[in-house]
Amino acid sequence: MTSSHRGQVLSLYKQILRISKLWKSNTGQHEDTKVERYYIKHECQRLFRRNKSETSNEKVHEYIKEAETRIALAQHYGIPYPRLMNVPHNVLSPNKASQFKRDQRILQQATPIYLKSYENNRKSSG
């Protein structure tokens, strides 16, 4: 992480941890609240630790934008988990191996910023 982003990243990290402590589930169930608080805290820690050695200003800015978007979505919808991505069925090729790279490119371009970390996690674990 570059020194120009350090303050912004630390502030964002503290903000997310504060949100996890104050989070209340939409269901009103105490167990759901505990599970969602745990998810927020540990997802935050996992992503910040994974990206702590990033030196590219462009990448750091992208991660900051993703975190801010995820916070806004979670607070707006009251759900800390990622929202699903919708790709119209007529955009992708129907089971044609020759179109696989094209379809992958379309999916990559259609992936919203708030799902980038999930996509990267799938690639590294798969």
Side-chain angles (χ1 to χ4, degrees), residues 61-117:
H61 181 70
E62 188 177 304
Y63 293 142
I64 290 170
K65 187 174 178 181
E66 177 183 359
E68 291 171 344
T69 303
R70 289 176 67 174
I71 289 169
L73 286 170
Q75 290 178 328
H76 177 77
Y77 292 103
I79 302 169
Y81 307 111
R83 297 179 51 76
L84 298 176
M85 180 175 95
N86 183 25
V87 177
H89 68 282
N90 61 347
V91 172
L92 301 177
S93 307
N95 297 330
K96 292 185 182 174
S98 63
Q99 297 294 319
F100 181 75
K101 286 186 178 182
R102 176 186 159 274
D103 289 350
Q104 291 300 314
R105 189 175 60 251
I106 289 171
L107 288 173
Q108 175 69 29
Q109 292 170 345
T111 302
I113 186 79
Y114 59 87
L115 288 177
K116 296 291 183 181
S117 291

Side-chain angles (χ1 to χ4, degrees), residues 15-115:
Q15 179 185 2
I16 295 169
L17 292 180
R18 216 174 5 260
I19 289 169
S20 76
K21 287 180 182 177
L22 302 174
W23 188 265
K24 292 200 188 316
S25 174
N26 278 345
T27 65
Q29 300 289 325
H30 180 67
E31 269 309 304
D32 291 344
T33 296
K34 281 175 52 178
V35 169
E36 290 177 7
R37 284 179 178 178
Y38 177 86
Y39 171 79
I40 294 167
K41 180 181 176 185
H42 288 277
E43 179 72 359
C44 171
Q45 290 172 341
R46 181 184 70 82
L47 290 173
F48 276 80
R49 284 182 184 140
R50 185 180 80 192
N51 300 319
K52 72 180 179 183
S53 60
E54 183 62 56
T55 57
S56 164
N57 279 336
E58 185 178 301
K59 278 288 207 187
V60 172
H61 181 70
E62 188 177 304
Y63 293 142
I64 290 170
K65 187 174 178 181
E66 177 183 359
E68 291 171 344
T69 303
R70 289 176 67 174
I71 289 169
L73 286 170
Q75 290 178 328
H76 177 77
Y77 292 103
I79 302 169
Y81 307 111
R83 297 179 51 76
L84 298 176
M85 180 175 95
N86 183 25
V87 177
H89 68 282
N90 61 347
V91 172
L92 301 177
S93 307
N95 297 330
K96 292 185 182 174
S98 63
Q99 297 294 319
F100 181 75
K101 286 186 178 182
R102 176 186 159 274
D103 289 350
Q104 291 300 314
R105 189 175 60 251
I106 289 171
L107 288 173
Q108 175 69 29
Q109 292 170 345
T111 302
I113 186 79
Y114 59 87
L115 288 177

